Amino acid sequence: QVQLVESGGGLVQAGASLRLSCAASGRTFSTYTMGWFRQAPGKERAFVAAIRWTGSTYYTASVKGRFTISKDDAKNTVYLQMNSLKPEDTAVYYCAVKRGPDYYDGAHDIDYWGQGTQVTVAS
């Protein structure tokens, strides 16, 4: 099993920055995709960003140029640096892991989820 613990959420003003962290423990995998999804009230959980074991990164269009995903393999931790935050970024952010070499095909394809961390951006 894999345990994912997120941290770094909070309440900020529009234009501010936050950095989310997701520390993984338990079983490890040589090939994987780690990333972030978010869920706003009344909406479905949606993809935000991902990073593969190779270092390749992926972003949803609305966060490109503002968010940066990175990882520290020694710490089994993935980060999401969020700059120029907007009120529409308000959501619960979930860390997600898919084991194996294949990229994930949506939220249904995730093997492990974190408990979520709230990000609120005030206008």
Side-chain angles (χ1 to χ4, degrees), residues 10-16 38-41 43 62 66-67 82-93 118-123:
L11 169 62
V12 297
Q13 294 293 317
R38 64 187 179 187
Q39 188 165 18
K43 295 188 177 181
S62 63
R66 299 189 297 123
F67 291 12
M82 305 186 294
N83 298 329
S84 302
L85 282 161
K86 303 176 181 180
E88 51 264 43
D89 294 317
T90 295
V92 177
Y93 283 69
Q118 177 70 46
V119 171
T120 303
V121 184
S123 57

Side-chain angles (χ1 to χ4, degrees), residues 64-112:
K64 281 183 180 178
R66 299 189 297 123
F67 291 12
T68 303
I69 190 168
S70 61
K71 63 185 177 72
D72 184 333
D73 291 332
K75 296 181 179 180
N76 291 325
T77 299
V78 65
Y79 304 97
L80 186 67
Q81 178 66 43
M82 305 186 294
N83 298 329
S84 302
L85 282 161
K86 303 176 181 180
E88 51 264 43
D89 294 317
T90 295
V92 177
Y93 283 69
Y94 295 92
C95 182
V97 172
K98 174 178 170 59
R99 59 182 185 268
D102 296 329
Y103 188 63
Y104 47 61
D105 186 28
H108 68 278
D109 207 21
I110 298 300
D111 294 310
Y112 304 100

Side-chain angles (χ1 to χ4, degrees), residues 4 22 24 32-36 49-51 69 76 78 95-97 104:
L4 304 173
C22 173
Y32 60 88
T33 302
M34 287 187 74
W36 297 89
I51 187 165
I69 190 168
N76 291 325
V78 65
C95 182
V97 172
Y104 47 61

Side-chain angles (χ1 to χ4, degrees), residues 1-4 24-30 32 76 97 99 112:
Q1 280 289 45
V2 173
Q3 293 77 44
L4 304 173
S25 62
R27 188 177 175 186
T28 59
F29 307 100
S30 57
Y32 60 88
N76 291 325
V97 172
R99 59 182 185 268
Y112 304 100

